[in-house]
Amino acid sequence: MLAYRLAQAQKQPEFQEVPEPHAGPGQVVVRVAGSGLCHTDFTVISRDRNHWGDEPPPFTLGHEIAGWIEEVGTGVTRFQRGDTVAVNPSWASCGRCHMCRSGEENHCLYQKAIRAPGVGYDGGHAPYVLVPEARFLVPIGDLDPIKAAPLTDAGITTYSAIKSALPGIWPGSTAVVIGVGGLGIYAVQFLRLLTGARIVAVDSTDARLKLARQYGADDVVSSGPDAANHIRELTGGVGAAFVLDCVGVNATLATAVAALSWRGRLAMVGAGGGSIPFDFFKVPPGAQLVTSLNGGSIALMEVVEMAALGRLKILVDRYPLSEAKHAYDDFEHGRLVGRAVLMPAPVEPRAPDSTVTNSSRTVPVTAGA
Ligand SMILES: [Zn+2]
Ligand SMILES: [Zn+2]
């Protein structure tokens, strides 16, 4: 099969012919309906050879995966061929520690490095992917697997960061989402579904701010040096009880801290490489600053349930696998509306009203699940 792979560290990915995988004991082969593109992929591509240690490239990219079970290995009893599933990407988790057993495999205590499909292991940018253990699969029932793909990272990352912040986000408080692209647009929706907070979206693009309003933001603010002041004005000087930074560069972190209320919580999910001083006088008293990496299987189950109920709008830009490079170009140059998802395996025809087709690809699809 043809797979879109990182052949060598710091080289542009390319298509390579690789053998189709087969399921060994306890393993499952998934026919990939959707494999999402993520900003992390650019980081993965740019890492030098030393980063990968004993497990260097080549490997197939793609860590946001959903599809149909193609083959189950011996000992796998709870899944069968044809089942629709989403794939929890925490493949380096041990499955036995406190975190793993509470469904928080993303924070496994024995993970030696951040490894996932498409991040060291063969991922979803191929017609088939070998899932090493059945525990990484979450059934999705009738949910369209192409829409389920982004839930496995973009969805659960924002969901987990918000869920753990809930005790500090009371009705009438303010929750800010910085960056309402592929991640942030989920965050706005989760805040709407889970809290009674006033939701403020911050972005540099008017189109995205407009979208954020449609998806549930009460107020929108253009990013820039005045953004934090603007948020303070909106909150009568109090500031935000919760700020989710989906970008994570110096400028957005500065805005986040300046907009935070006393005792507020700043969660950084965007790995933009930025930093801020953690200083007794430079962050608000009582503030909590946390990072949040991906999510676990419980988060994935819960996000899938919300999508299945039609509560979550999932915006995807669909590309055939053969258009992978084009998709990454569109991503890199800000031409996406939703999350770019590659479609490696042939799928059933879409409903005629759900897609708009142009010459090169099918763009964008907005619909409830
Ligand atoms: Zn990702
Ligand atoms: Zn563990």
Side-chain angles (χ1 to χ4, degrees):
M1 64 181 185
L2 266 185
Y4 196 63
R5 291 161 65 81
L6 183 65
Q8 282 182 55
Q10 297 179 308
K11 289 267 167 25
Q12 281 309 302
E14 59 188 78
F15 282 102
Q16 292 182 325
E17 186 71 30
V18 295
E20 286 186 10
H22 291 284
Q27 300 178 330
V28 177
V29 172
V30 171
R31 184 159 60 99
V32 181
S35 185
L37 273 58
C38 176
H39 200 269
T40 300
D41 298 342
F42 296 113
T43 314
V44 168
I45 293 163
S46 68
R47 282 175 183 152
D48 67 28
R49 168 67 180 75
N50 295 331
H51 171 90
W52 299 105
D54 297 337
E55 295 170 316
F59 55 82
T60 302
L61 291 167
H63 58 265
E64 297 187 345
I65 307 165
W68 305 272
I69 291 181
E70 179 73 13
E71 195 183 303
V72 295
T74 53
V76 176
T77 54
R78 291 173 200 278
F79 293 94
Q80 52 189 1
R81 188 184 155 93
D83 287 354
T84 50
V85 290
V87 180
N88 170 0
S90 296
W91 288 5
S93 63
C94 76
R96 295 190 296 193
C97 74
H98 188 90
M99 288 298 157
C100 284
R101 287 183 180 244
S102 53
E104 223 177 302
E105 298 90 344
N106 53 314
H107 293 146
C108 171
L109 302 174
Y110 297 101
Q111 250 170 146
K112 290 186 184 69
I114 298 173
R115 289 281 189 279
V119 187
Y121 305 129
D122 282 338
H125 291 358
Y128 299 98
V129 63
L130 179 65
V131 179
E133 294 176 57
R135 69 182 170 96
F136 299 123
L137 301 175
V138 168
I140 61 169
D142 293 334
L143 188 63
D144 176 355
I146 293 172
K147 288 190 192 161
L151 299 182
T152 63
D153 182 27
I156 58 177
T157 295
T158 49
Y159 178 73
S160 301
I162 290 166
K163 193 179 174 190
S164 51
L166 287 178
I169 311 174
W170 53 88
S173 66
T174 296
V176 175
V177 179
I178 300 180
V180 281
L183 262 73
I185 207 69
Y186 291 107
V188 168
Q189 296 184 77
F190 293 135
L191 287 165
R192 192 82 191 186
L193 286 164
L194 301 175
T195 80
R198 171 213 293 265
I199 303 161
V200 181
V202 180
D203 203 286
S204 55
T205 312
D206 286 343
R208 285 193 178 155
L209 291 177
K210 192 175 165 203
L211 204 64
R213 270 202 191 277
Q214 289 166 10
Y215 279 62
D218 299 290
D219 289 290
V220 298
V221 170
S222 290
S223 37
D226 286 337
N229 284 337
H230 197 148
I231 293 163
R232 290 220 162 262
E233 280 167 24
L234 288 170
T235 57
V238 170
F242 178 64
V243 180
L244 184 70
D245 187 349
C246 299
V247 184
V249 298
N250 287 342
T252 57
L253 286 167
T255 296
V257 167
L260 204 61
S261 72
W262 286 34
R263 181 67 167 70
R265 182 177 174 105
L266 162 58
M268 174 163 65
V269 295
S275 60
I276 35 163
F278 184 64
D279 175 294
F280 200 91
F281 297 105
K282 286 181 181 159
V283 299
Q288 304 168 33
L289 276 63
V290 300
T291 59
S292 192
L293 172 72
N294 199 248
S297 53
I298 303 283
L300 184 52
M301 287 168 62
E302 291 174 358
V303 168
V304 163
E305 291 295 344
M306 283 186 277
L309 283 169
R311 304 268 167 86
L312 199 59
K313 288 185 200 160
I314 303 170
L315 191 63
V316 293
D317 292 1
R318 298 166 189 241
Y319 297 80
L321 177 62
S322 58
E323 292 285 323
K325 187 176 179 333
H326 181 176
Y328 277 102
D329 284 348
D330 285 352
F331 189 9
E332 198 169 10
H333 296 101
R335 291 192 289 262
L336 298 176
V337 181
R339 193 75 161 170
V341 176
L342 302 178
M343 303 178 296
V347 292
E348 290 171 10
R350 309 296 319 151
D353 61 345
S354 67
T355 56
V356 183
T357 305
N358 74 10
S359 56
S360 61
R361 61 184 175 103
T362 306
V363 292
V365 179
T366 314

